[in-house]
Amino acid sequence: MTYMKKKYPIRLTPQRLAILEYLEGNKAHPSASDIYKAVSEKYPMMSFATVYNTLDTLREKMQVLELSIDSKKKRFDPNTKPHHHLICMECKAITDIHRKFALDLTDGERCDYKIMRNHIDFYGVCSNCKKKTK
Ligand code: ZN
Ligand code: MN
């Protein structure tokens, strides 16, 4: 609890805490319905709308990232530190890639921007899906 308070510099309502506890260390990049399923097992009073709205607030407060990899359902990432993603085009599995790529824009391409960060999505077929299609 104190760990969560230290880690998340926001007002931790019971709803926020429930979701952040589920997302803590979760590397699956779950969707809102995945999160709802898991959280409602422990907190049956929590509705899907509450989970959805709470995720939206946490995104606004930059405590989770919203990923737009799957146009049908938003996915959420509790890891807000810079990292890249490896994405399965079949099952939409998302794996973190922790590496700094030396990607430089030319002066012309940079258009006088100060570049703050970049994000790369690598697309492919995961080993599970490769087995299925064989
Ligand atoms: Zn896959
Ligand atoms: Mn990630």
Side-chain angles (χ1 to χ4, degrees), residues 93-108:
I94 305 171
T95 305
D96 289 335
I97 305 288
H98 293 281
R99 173 144 82 94
K100 272 190 189 154
F101 294 95
L103 292 171
D104 265 330
L105 297 179
T106 65
D107 288 343

Side-chain angles (χ1 to χ4, degrees), residues 6 11-12 16 19 34 43 51 105 117 119 125 133:
K6 248 180 237 165
R11 194 166 60 88
L12 287 176
R16 291 177 190 176
I19 289 174
D34 294 333
Y43 304 92
V51 169
L105 297 179
R117 61 187 190 96
H119 176 86
V125 181
T133 50

Side-chain angles (χ1 to χ4, degrees), residues 20-85:
L20 287 171
E21 267 173 353
Y22 170 67
L23 286 176
E24 180 70 22
N26 187 321
K27 292 187 167 49
H29 306 84
S31 67
S33 54
D34 294 333
I35 296 167
Y36 169 67
K37 257 181 237 159
V39 169
S40 64
E41 266 175 37
K42 206 170 163 189
Y43 304 92
M45 301 298 279
M46 226 155 124
S47 69
F48 181 74
T50 302
V51 169
Y52 196 88
N53 293 335
T54 306
L55 282 166
D56 210 45
T57 311
L58 290 171
R59 178 191 54 77
E60 268 171 32
K61 294 183 181 294
M62 310 218 305
Q63 304 305 310
V64 298
L65 295 178
E66 186 183 294
L67 308 177
S68 48
I69 282 157
D70 189 345
S71 58
K72 290 186 203 84
K73 53 179 187 179
K74 290 175 193 167
R75 305 275 293 266
F76 294 89
D77 194 340
N79 182 1
T80 55
K81 295 195 187 88
H83 65 285
H84 308 286
H85 286 141

